[in-house]
Amino acid sequence: MRNNIKSLAAVAAIIIVAALILAWWRERPITVEAHVMQRGTAIQAVYATGTVEPTISIPISPRVAGRLVELRVDEGSEVHKGQLLARLEDADLQSTVNQLEAQERWAKQSYDRAASMFEKGAGTAADRDQAYSNWQAAQAATAHAREQQKFMVLTAPGNGIVTRRDGEIGQYIAVNQVLMQIATDAPLRISADVDEEDIAKVKAGQLVSIRADAFPDQVFDGHVIEVTPQGDTTTRSYRVRISVPRDSPLHIGMTTDTNIIVDKHDDVNLLPATAIVDDQGNKYAWVIKDQRLHRIPVTIGINGDRKVEVLKGVAANEPVVDIALPDFREGQKAEIHSAKTA
């Protein structure tokens, strides 16, 4: 009997100790990082990845096939309108031109004879007219061959810079095969693909913040130039054209991170986006008062990726937990590790 009483007493003691430990555990103060609201600019932006490209890029390709025998420019070369870029072998065409010129001279002589004989009454008008027609046909054939020969010389259609060259001397260049690309001296632009769920927010003229991995410490300003009216059904996105400043160090082909600013409020209360909890559309924050957590409903304005505009709910100097955890409880003890501005 005494042993049973001792056993029950021991069990009761263990239960009491466990309850005390549990109570202590539940009531122990947690350590949190906190933020105090600050005044600043709230920005709502649409993010998209883009590529730097020339506003106008002209492909240079021959209209007559031939072997490349001369290259006057290379990638990076600045060119002006009419400048010789490359030349294709034209020996066969030159032979054709020589032959047709000889035929043209013979046709002209034949016409002169026929016309002279007609004037003297020794020939007919039909012979004269036939000779004239033959001469005109020979002239046309010669002119056509000369034009074909001109196509073997490739010139710049305007001022710009050679951005790509794909041919080598000795290589056979087919008709319409692109030998090089020339970007005109117009400013560069960025083509970015915006998700269809965001495209309704994007309009021409909106300010764009541009970043590139090649220049990690710089931010460039651009503007939306145009939004293509037809989207890509595969990627479910729309192409957006963005201007690039003329003095920008960005190069053609660079990948950029673009944030298209669709809304902006200056001099408003800001908190980190991580401080706001969304509970089925009801938003709240955890505020620390008297070293305890308190769940405070909040009303927000612009909901940015990093910062959120707070319209009401949190006082100016109240510390707000920057990251809310699921097991937070109303009235739970809390100690602030450090308090920062948003």
Side-chain angles (χ1 to χ4, degrees), residues 74-125:
D74 207 339
E75 293 176 354
S77 298
E78 293 186 3
V79 298
H80 58 268
K81 185 176 182 178
Q83 179 179 338
L84 175 64
L85 304 177
R87 186 169 61 83
L88 302 179
E89 186 178 30
D90 63 350
D92 291 343
L93 276 175
Q94 183 61 54
S95 297
T96 300
V97 170
N98 294 339
Q99 180 182 358
L100 291 174
E101 286 177 342
Q103 292 176 355
E104 181 185 347
R105 289 192 297 270
W106 180 83
K108 176 64 166 60
Q109 293 170 1
S110 298
Y111 166 69
D112 290 341
R113 286 193 298 270
S116 177
M117 292 179 66
F118 175 74
E119 290 177 359
K120 294 176 181 179
T124 65

Side-chain angles (χ1 to χ4, degrees), residues 32-296:
V32 295
E33 300 282 346
H35 281 83
V36 176
M37 284 194 306
Q38 72 173 105
R39 304 290 288 184
T41 301
I43 295 175
Q44 182 179 3
V46 170
Y47 171 81
T49 300
T51 303
V52 181
E53 63 182 20
T55 300
I56 301 175
S57 182
I58 303 174
I60 305 299
S61 57
R63 295 174 60 178
V64 179
R67 195 169 304 281
L68 185 62
V69 295
E70 185 177 4
L71 269 174
R72 292 289 188 91
V73 296
D74 207 339
E75 293 176 354
S77 298
E78 293 186 3
V79 298
H80 58 268
K81 185 176 182 178
Q83 179 179 338
L84 175 64
L85 304 177
R87 186 169 61 83
L88 302 179
E89 186 178 30
D90 63 350
D92 291 343
L93 276 175
Q94 183 61 54
S95 297
T96 300
V97 170
N98 294 339
Q99 180 182 358
L100 291 174
E101 286 177 342
Q103 292 176 355
E104 181 185 347
R105 289 192 297 270
W106 180 83
K108 176 64 166 60
Q109 293 170 1
S110 298
Y111 166 69
D112 290 341
R113 286 193 298 270
S116 177
M117 292 179 66
F118 175 74
E119 290 177 359
K120 294 176 181 179
T124 65
D127 291 339
R128 181 200 61 185
D129 293 344
Q130 182 62 53
Y132 180 77
S133 177
N134 292 341
W135 175 41
Q136 294 299 301
Q139 279 186 316
T142 303
H144 177 71
R146 287 178 181 143
E147 286 299 315
Q148 292 291 101
Q149 191 176 26
K150 290 179 181 179
F151 294 150
M152 309 306 283
V153 177
L154 304 180
T155 59
N159 299 336
I161 185 171
V162 179
T163 58
R164 186 179 179 90
R165 177 180 65 80
D166 292 317
E168 298 292 344
I169 292 179
Q171 179 180 348
Y172 183 82
I173 308 298
V175 175
N176 294 328
Q177 177 182 339
V178 177
L179 178 61
M180 61 185 71
Q181 292 275 357
I182 292 181
T184 65
D185 56 1
L188 298 178
R189 69 182 182 187
I190 293 173
S191 284
D193 293 324
V194 175
D195 291 341
E196 64 178 9
E197 63 185 18
D198 293 324
I199 197 62
K201 306 172 187 175
V202 179
K203 298 177 178 60
Q206 289 173 328
L207 181 66
V208 182
S209 177
I210 304 166
R211 293 180 180 270
D213 290 341
F215 305 97
D217 298 327
Q218 298 186 54
V219 179
F220 310 101
D221 290 333
H223 291 85
V224 175
I225 303 173
E226 62 181 2
V227 180
T228 54
Q230 181 174 339
D232 188 316
T233 56
T234 301
T235 61
R236 303 175 69 86
S237 62
Y238 285 76
R239 184 66 52 85
V240 175
R241 309 290 189 187
I242 299 168
S243 67
V244 174
R246 278 190 176 272
D247 58 353
S248 164
L250 297 174
H251 299 303
I252 295 172
M254 282 186 175
T255 300
T256 61
D257 294 327
T258 60
N259 286 282
I260 304 169
I261 299 174
V262 299
D263 200 2
K264 180 180 178 182
H265 294 170
D266 294 319
D267 194 27
V268 296
N269 288 322
L270 298 175
L271 278 175
T274 54
I276 306 300
V277 180
D278 191 336
D279 183 7
Q280 298 180 348
N282 298 316
K283 294 179 174 56
Y284 65 90
W286 289 99
V287 174
I288 303 173
K289 294 180 181 179
D290 300 325
Q291 296 184 326
R292 292 185 180 273
L293 294 177
H294 298 281
R295 175 171 159 161
I296 304 297

